[in-house]
């Protein structure tokens, strides 16, 4: 039952017979009847715009319910056709942005045509006559029954006053009475809409009578349930009274109550612990509040939980770390092959920390690289090397700021944020906290977690990190924060600025083989219960797995394939086929089956309109096969393969340069040709300027009718003057080309400094050509 009784008036309806467009206001979850005065709170932008248009159109507007209340932005098909004409009497904008409007409705109308714009709805509406007011005996009888039942219903419902009942009885029109009663019944809006649409008065009155009957039965059932609940509450109150009496008796007998014992234990923990003065005073104050509070009060549980969190946090507890540089080197080398740059930076930090005896501010290290390259395990190894507690906190998918800063204690079930929770879990003030997958933090209406991390990850501010739940500044300056990410593109610039970026590059085939021999094979032998059997693997077998069954920058899939191989061998061992084996490349083919890696790049033929481009993704380097073709048409340029805006602009820049050099002698329209450029694996989005020279080369190949070398790959940004500009990810791109068997890579001359990053075993086997202009690219690439 609605608390606001809807008032009706009996003036003659305004003549809306004109089919001039009228603004439409969609109603969510409510139906309004004719001859009604009601306040509405309007918040949706389209609805507010409809009100503005109505105000400018003689204050006329048409109200109609939407079919599904869950739809935030309804379309034409989401609205009912029958609603009511209304006049805007008063409008007021609240400070919250909500518009409160006083509406006076007049008569029913039916939408004949709806116009939907980006900002509002308008439509042409015709006036509908009220159901025929037949004063026959049957109608009079139904009207009397409705008034009688509604009077009984009103007596049962405290929300109705006698004054409202008299208003209804003074109305002579049965149709208006029905509308008024249905407006104030707590029935579903769809049922009200059915009543609004009815044109048969008898049917309408019978429906309303049935609704009143159902509502009466519901109220009687509610009263019955309420009485049962009251009996249960009376019993609980009686038990509470008896418990209080028991407590008084225990006090008279000098027996302590459990609640008092709990308070004493909290005070004992406070006096025995080591807390800063401000924290000590805060805890003492909260314990005093808890002591004078009734044990069964809800707020008591909240305060008790808060006190326990304050007592459990390591305000002054530290772990005694032991920094032995040689031991650190050994732990890092034993656990990880390669990654020399990352190891050197870690050792540098620890060496400086030992020299300044912990007085400096800890840097925030960010390991950026493809999945499976050892970023997370490196952070764990640091903790083992220097005897620090290690806590891993995954940030992937976190979209709520409260996950980082915590909820305020006013919320039910409030908890501190994940940083404070990690500190409690570590039990020490100087742990290593790994913020894993920091590039996958999201943001929505609940806030931006990356903004909340700014304070925690800033060495200048994190000595007084404030959590919404704890409310007391907590010192995080002794924490060694290490973050990991697959890409920097999704990390906000202010957060990126606070971190020292250390790039973890893709592994070469040689590095993968050594990692497999030293770590992965032994680990999987133990995981599959094969330690008691003599199982070895040849280098050629490992290389076959690396080349034919995995294509990745890290070693996760390599470990899975080795595990799969050993599980199949375990089956044969239990089948008594053998008890020892030296795995060869033939055994790999036998157990792992058909190779999983597509070698299309290596096997494709030298052809016109096909070129090898190079790209870097969050998973490492990759070779892009770029294809182009021309055919008779109307001068269209088609770009397919989920290309981003920057990549499309690179195509336009390449075409402009080729036109300036008369390689494309006229516009595509004049040549009556369509040009189609496609980058396969169309399900994967691709973007960036580094494919510019590859796009230009494939277009030039088509128009010059010259083939492009299949053993060459290229990367570089092209300008409309034909200059080749530098790009990023040189090491990953060259490694990807090397894995695909490509012999030559074309790079911008400005990237010459990055060649030193490429492993020497790769540089010795692949030719790198440095270019400054696009003409040099065509000279080297075209056959």
């Amino acid at each position: 039952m609605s608390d606001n009784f809807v008032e009706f008036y009996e003036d003659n309806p305004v003549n809306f017979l004109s089919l001039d467009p009228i603004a439409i206001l969609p109603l969510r979850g409510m139906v309004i009847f004719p001859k009604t005065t009601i306040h509405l709170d309007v918040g949706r932008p389209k609805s507010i715009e409809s009100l503005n248009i109505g105000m400018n159109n003689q204050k006329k507007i048409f109200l109609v319910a939407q079919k599904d209340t869950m739809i935030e932005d309804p379309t034409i098909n989401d609205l009912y056709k029958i609603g009511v004409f209304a006049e805007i009497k008063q409008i007021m904008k609240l400070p919250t942005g909500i518009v409160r409007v006083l509406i006076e409705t007049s008569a029913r109308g039916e939408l004949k045509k709806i116009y939907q714009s980006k900002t509002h709805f308008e439509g042409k509406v015709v006036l509908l006559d009220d159901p025929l007011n037949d004063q026959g005996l049957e109608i009079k009888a139904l009207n009397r029954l409705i008034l009688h039942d509604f009077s009984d219903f009103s007596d049962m419902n405290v929300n109705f006053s006698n004054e409202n009942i008299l208003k209804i009885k003074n109305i002579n029109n049965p149709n208006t009475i029905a509308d008024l009663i249905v407006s104030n019944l707590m029935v579903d809006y769809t049922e009200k809409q059915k009543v609004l649409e009815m044109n048969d008065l008898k049917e309408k009155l019978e429906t309303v009578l049935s609704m009143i009957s159902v509502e009466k039965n519901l109220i009687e059932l509610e009263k019955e349930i309420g009485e049962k609940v009251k009996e249960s509450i009376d019993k609980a109150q009686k038990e509470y009274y008896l418990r209080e009496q028991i407590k008084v008796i225990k006090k008279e007998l000098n027996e302590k109550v459990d609640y008092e014992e709990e308070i004493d234990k909290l005070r004992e923990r406070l006096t025995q612990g080591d807390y800063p003065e401000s924290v000590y005073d805060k805890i003492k104050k909260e314990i005093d509040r808890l002591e004078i509070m009734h044990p069964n009060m809800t707020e008591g549980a909240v305060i008790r939980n808060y006190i326990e969190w304050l007592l459990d946090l390591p305000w002054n507890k530290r772990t005694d770390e032991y920094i032995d540089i040689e031991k650190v080197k050994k732990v890092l080398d034993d656990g990880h092959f390669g990654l020399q740059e990352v190891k050197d930076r870690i050792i540098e930090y620890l060496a400086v920390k030992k020299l300044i005896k912990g007085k400096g501010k800890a840097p925030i290290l960010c390991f950026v690289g493809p999945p499976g390259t050892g970023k997370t395990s490196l952070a764990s190894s640091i903790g083992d090397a220097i005897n620090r507690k290690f806590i891993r906190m995954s940030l992937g998918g976190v979209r709520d700021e409260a996950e980082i800063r915590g909820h305020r204690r006013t919320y039910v079930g409030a908890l501190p944020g994940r940083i404070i929770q990690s500190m409690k879990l570590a039990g020490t003030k100087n742990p290593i906290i790994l913020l894993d997958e920091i590039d996958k933090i999201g943001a929505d209406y609940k806030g931006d977690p990356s903004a909340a991390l700014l304070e925690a990850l800033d060495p200048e501010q994190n000595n007084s990190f404030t959590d919404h739940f704890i409310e007391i500044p907590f010192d995080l300056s002794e924490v060694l924060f290490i973050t990991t990410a697959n890409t920097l593109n999704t990390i906000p610039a202010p957060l990126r600025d606070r971190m020292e970026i250390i790039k973890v590059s893709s592994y070469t085939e040689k590095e993968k083989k050594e990692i497999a021999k030293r770590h992965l094979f032994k680990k999987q032998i133990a995981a599959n219960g094969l330690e008691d059997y003599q199982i070895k693997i040849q280098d050629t077998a490992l290389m076959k797995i690396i080349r034919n069954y995995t294509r990745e920058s890290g070693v996760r899939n390599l470990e899975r394939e080795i595990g799969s191989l050993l599980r199949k061998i375990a089956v044969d061992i239990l089948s008594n086929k053998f008890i020892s084996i030296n795995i060869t490349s033939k055994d790999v083919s036998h157990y792992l089956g058909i190779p999983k890696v597509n070698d299309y790049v290596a096997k494709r033929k030298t052809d016109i309109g096909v070129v090898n481009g190079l790209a870097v993704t969050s998973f490492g380097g990759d070779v892009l096969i770029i294809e182009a073709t021309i055919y008779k048409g109307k001068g269209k340029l088609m770009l397919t393969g989920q290309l981003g805006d920057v990549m499309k602009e690179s195509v336009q820049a390449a075409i402009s340069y080729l036109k300036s050099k008369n390689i494309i002698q006229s516009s595509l329209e004049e040549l009556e040709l369509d040009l189609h450029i496609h980058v396969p694996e169309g399900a994967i989005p691709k973007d960036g300027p580094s494919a510019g020279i590859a796009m230009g080369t494939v277009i030039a190949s088509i128009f010059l009718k010259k083939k492009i070398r299949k053993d060459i790959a290229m990367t570089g940004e092209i300008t409309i003057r034909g200059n080749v500009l530098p790009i990023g990810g040189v090491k990953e791109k060259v490694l990807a080309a090397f894995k695909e068997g490509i012999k030559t890579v074309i790079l911008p001359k400005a990237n010459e400094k990055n060649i030193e990053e490429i492993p020497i075993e790769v540089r010795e086997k692949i030719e790198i050509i440095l270019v400054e202009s696009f003409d040099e690219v065509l000279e080297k690439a075209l056959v």
Side-chain angles (χ1 to χ4, degrees):
M1 181 61 64
S2 172
D3 290 338
N4 298 319
F5 192 90
V6 180
E7 295 185 1
F8 281 63
Y9 61 89
E10 300 230 44
D11 298 341
N12 292 326
V14 180
N15 185 4
F16 284 94
L17 287 173
S18 170
L19 283 177
D20 291 333
I22 185 172
I24 297 171
L25 178 63
L27 303 174
R28 183 154 61 173
M30 66 184 302
V31 173
I32 300 178
F33 287 83
K35 302 174 184 176
T36 306
T37 302
I38 190 170
H39 279 99
L40 297 176
D41 286 345
V42 180
R44 292 187 287 187
K46 281 189 177 180
S47 300
I48 293 173
E49 182 61 24
S50 293
L51 287 175
N52 293 334
I53 292 172
M55 287 296 293
N56 294 328
N57 184 22
Q58 301 178 8
K59 299 185 178 181
K60 298 175 184 176
I61 198 165
F62 186 71
L63 311 180
V64 64
Q66 67 183 60
K67 297 174 183 176
D68 188 351
T69 59
M70 301 303 292
I71 297 174
E72 181 65 29
D73 189 10
T75 62
I76 292 171
N77 296 326
D78 297 321
L79 304 179
Y80 288 104
K81 300 302 179 191
I82 293 179
V84 290
F85 293 99
E87 183 178 356
I88 302 170
K89 291 295 185 181
Q90 188 181 45
I91 192 166
M92 177 174 61
K93 189 169 183 179
L94 302 179
T96 59
I98 299 293
V99 174
R100 180 162 291 171
V101 59
L102 180 64
I103 294 286
E104 187 173 271
T105 63
S106 54
R108 295 189 307 157
E110 182 178 0
L111 280 167
K112 290 299 184 181
K113 200 166 189 179
I114 308 178
Y115 308 95
Q116 182 179 5
S117 71
K118 291 183 179 179
T119 59
H120 67 287
F121 290 102
E122 281 188 317
K124 291 187 176 182
V125 189
V126 295
L127 181 70
L128 292 179
D129 294 328
D130 287 338
L132 189 63
N133 187 6
D134 180 9
Q135 293 296 329
L137 292 177
E138 195 170 5
I139 297 297
K140 288 181 179 179
L142 283 170
N143 193 39
R144 283 188 181 182
L145 283 172
I146 287 173
L147 290 172
H148 179 269
D149 280 10
F150 188 72
S151 179
D152 292 343
F153 170 77
S154 303
D155 292 338
M156 298 165 66
N157 195 314
V158 295
N159 291 322
F160 280 96
S161 64
N162 293 329
E163 182 182 352
N164 292 329
I165 304 303
L166 289 174
K167 282 184 181 180
I168 294 176
K169 289 183 177 180
N170 290 331
I171 297 173
N172 297 320
N173 189 331
N175 181 64
T176 304
I177 291 173
D179 286 348
L180 175 58
I181 290 174
V182 174
S183 294
N184 292 280
L185 291 179
M186 285 290 288
V187 296
D188 190 77
Y189 72 97
T190 56
E191 297 299 318
K192 293 185 178 181
Q193 181 68 29
K194 290 177 183 177
V195 174
L196 181 66
E197 293 178 359
M198 288 180 179
N199 292 316
D200 187 315
L201 184 58
K202 178 187 172 185
E203 180 189 5
K204 185 173 183 176
L205 295 178
E206 288 174 344
T207 303
V208 173
L209 185 61
S210 175
M211 286 180 173
I212 296 171
S213 178
V214 170
E215 288 298 304
K216 284 171 61 180
N217 291 336
L218 283 173
I219 288 180
E220 289 174 355
L221 186 59
E222 286 173 357
K223 285 184 177 179
E224 184 179 336
I225 294 171
E227 288 173 0
K228 290 181 179 178
V229 171
K230 185 176 180 298
E231 289 177 6
S232 175
I233 292 173
D234 290 341
K235 183 180 177 182
Q237 288 177 336
K238 180 181 178 182
E239 290 174 355
Y240 167 74
Y241 177 73
L242 291 173
R243 281 196 215 98
E244 290 299 308
Q245 284 185 323
I246 291 172
K247 288 181 181 179
V248 173
I249 293 170
K250 282 188 174 184
K251 282 186 177 181
E252 291 295 322
L253 297 173
N254 293 322
E255 294 181 7
K256 285 200 171 184
V257 187
D258 293 342
Y259 182 66
E260 293 177 354
E261 290 179 359
E262 186 178 346
I263 298 292
D264 291 341
K265 286 180 181 178
L266 292 175
R267 291 192 188 280
E268 184 180 351
R269 287 183 62 187
L270 177 61
T271 54
Q272 292 179 355
D274 183 10
Y275 303 99
E277 184 178 351
S278 60
V279 178
Y280 183 93
D281 292 342
K282 178 70 173 176
I283 297 174
K284 186 176 182 301
K285 180 180 178 182
E286 293 296 324
I287 292 175
D288 291 341
R289 282 184 63 201
L290 182 64
E291 187 174 26
I292 62 174
M293 194 170 290
H294 196 280
N296 291 332
M297 286 185 66
T298 307
E299 191 180 355
V302 175
I303 295 175
R304 190 180 301 114
N305 183 44
Y306 178 59
I307 293 170
E308 288 176 351
W309 268 101
L310 292 179
L311 290 169
D312 289 340
L313 285 175
W315 298 95
N316 287 323
K317 294 179 184 176
R318 293 173 180 82
T319 302
D320 294 330
E321 64 181 13
Y322 177 71
I323 301 177
D324 182 338
I325 298 300
E326 292 304 318
K327 179 187 175 185
V328 173
K329 287 181 179 179
K330 185 176 185 305
V331 170
L332 294 179
D333 287 338
D334 289 346
H336 303 83
F337 183 83
L339 305 177
Q340 199 56 45
E341 181 186 351
V342 185
K343 293 178 186 176
D344 289 345
R345 182 63 189 90
I346 293 169
I347 291 169
E348 288 167 9
Y349 159 70
L350 295 175
V352 171
K353 182 174 177 59
K354 185 173 183 179
L355 289 173
I356 63 176
K357 298 179 181 179
K359 294 179 182 177
K361 294 173 181 175
I364 313 300
L365 304 179
C366 180
F367 298 157
V368 180
T373 49
K375 301 183 295 296
T376 303
S377 58
L378 256 175
S380 177
S381 295
I382 298 171
D384 295 337
I386 63 175
N387 191 37
R388 273 213 203 181
K389 291 286 185 69
F390 174 78
I391 301 294
R392 176 181 171 273
M393 187 166 76
S394 179
L395 297 178
V398 173
R399 306 181 69 85
D400 187 355
E401 181 192 356
E403 289 277 337
I404 306 299
R405 281 196 174 277
H407 296 84
R408 299 194 182 278
R409 284 186 288 140
T410 50
Y411 294 104
V412 176
L415 284 173
R418 296 175 69 172
I419 290 179
I420 293 296
Q421 290 184 36
S422 297
M423 296 303 295
K424 176 186 174 182
L425 183 63
T428 177
K429 195 179 180 182
N430 60 340
I432 296 173
I433 295 183
L434 174 68
L435 304 178
D436 212 3
E437 310 290 0
I438 198 170
D439 57 325
K440 296 174 180 62
I441 288 180
D444 60 12
Y445 68 96
K446 296 179 181 177
D448 186 356
S450 62
L453 280 173
L454 292 177
E455 182 185 358
L457 298 185
D458 190 343
E460 301 295 329
Q461 302 179 41
N462 62 8
N463 60 343
S464 57
F465 174 76
T466 303
D467 184 276
H468 289 156
F469 181 87
I470 298 299
E471 295 179 346
I472 304 173
F474 192 90
D475 185 4
L476 299 176
S477 60
E478 297 182 42
V479 178
L480 174 56
F481 285 105
I482 299 176
T483 66
T484 69
N486 297 132
T487 178
L488 292 174
N489 297 337
T490 55
I491 302 177
L495 184 58
R496 193 165 61 238
D497 183 58
R498 282 163 168 79
M499 301 186 293
E500 181 176 336
I501 308 300
I502 300 176
K503 292 189 176 179
V504 182
S505 302
S506 306
Y507 290 122
T508 63
E509 288 184 347
K510 179 183 176 182
E511 288 173 333
K512 288 183 180 180
K513 185 189 74 173
E514 290 299 322
I515 292 169
K517 282 176 65 177
R518 298 184 186 190
H519 305 287
L520 304 183
F521 189 73
K522 294 176 183 178
K523 181 180 176 183
Q524 287 300 318
I525 285 283
N528 291 286
L530 297 173
E531 301 101 320
D532 297 333
Y533 301 92
Q534 296 179 356
I535 299 175
K536 298 180 180 179
I537 188 166
Q538 297 179 2
D539 287 356
T540 53
L542 284 174
M543 292 305 295
K544 189 176 185 69
I545 297 174
I546 292 167
R547 288 174 179 168
N548 295 358
Y549 294 89
T550 64
R551 177 177 287 171
E552 58 178 340
S553 300
V555 291
R556 281 207 183 109
N557 284 330
L558 176 57
E559 183 176 0
R560 290 190 192 102
E561 293 299 327
I562 292 172
S564 177
L565 173 67
L566 291 175
R567 285 193 298 274
K568 295 179 187 299
I569 289 173
V571 173
D572 283 352
I573 287 176
L574 292 179
S575 301
N576 298 319
K577 291 185 179 181
F578 51 79
I579 59 172
S580 65
I581 184 174
N582 187 10
I583 303 169
T584 65
S585 58
K586 287 185 178 179
D587 294 324
V588 171
S589 300
H590 170 69
Y591 286 112
L592 295 184
I594 301 169
K596 298 178 181 178
V597 173
N598 181 3
D599 56 355
Y600 169 71
V601 176
K603 290 186 176 180
R604 76 173 183 82
K605 297 179 181 179
T606 298
D607 204 352
I608 295 173
V610 184
V611 69
N612 298 321
L614 295 172
V616 173
T617 68
S618 59
F619 298 97
D622 197 9
V623 176
L624 298 179
I625 307 298
I626 301 173
E627 302 173 344
T629 187
I630 54 174
Y631 47 87
K632 284 291 182 182
K634 298 180 179 180
K636 292 181 181 178
L637 172 61
M638 286 182 287
L639 304 171
T640 56
Q642 278 215 65
L643 308 187
D645 291 339
V646 178
M647 214 167 185
K648 291 176 182 177
E649 290 170 2
S650 296
V651 175
Q652 297 289 353
I655 290 174
S656 295
Y657 177 71
L658 294 175
K659 283 181 179 179
S660 71
K661 290 294 184 178
N662 284 327
I663 293 174
I664 301 176
Q665 296 178 355
S666 183
S667 67
L668 294 175
E669 290 88 345
E670 292 175 1
L671 295 172
E672 295 184 351
L673 293 174
D674 285 352
L675 173 59
H676 186 174
I677 299 175
H678 177 67
V679 183
E681 298 186 17
I684 302 172
K686 309 165 190 74
D687 204 3
S690 64
I693 63 172
M695 292 292 186
T697 302
V698 79
I699 297 169
S701 167
I702 287 291
F703 281 93
L704 294 174
K705 297 183 179 177
K706 290 186 178 183
K707 295 181 178 180
I708 304 171
R709 290 170 53 188
K710 72 168 187 176
D711 64 342
I712 197 167
M714 59 189 69
T715 179
E717 182 177 356
I718 190 173
T719 71
I720 58 175
R721 304 300 295 272
N723 296 322
V724 179
L725 303 183
I727 44 78
V730 170
K731 179 182 177 182
E732 282 73 17
K733 291 177 179 179
V734 175
L735 287 176
F738 180 71
K739 290 173 189 174
E740 296 292 351
I742 288 169
K743 305 297 183 187
T744 306
V745 173
I746 296 177
L747 297 175
K749 175 73 173 174
N751 285 113
E752 185 175 8
K753 61 183 181 294
N754 302 115
I755 294 177
E756 291 298 320
E757 300 173 1
I758 304 168
I760 190 166
E761 67 267 18
V762 176
R763 276 183 280 158
E764 290 174 350
K765 295 179 182 179
I766 200 166
E767 180 188 7
I768 297 175
I769 299 174
L770 300 173
V771 297
E772 290 182 301
S773 70
F774 185 62
D775 293 340
E776 297 176 64
V777 177
L778 295 181
E779 181 184 339
K780 299 292 184 182
L782 297 181
V783 177

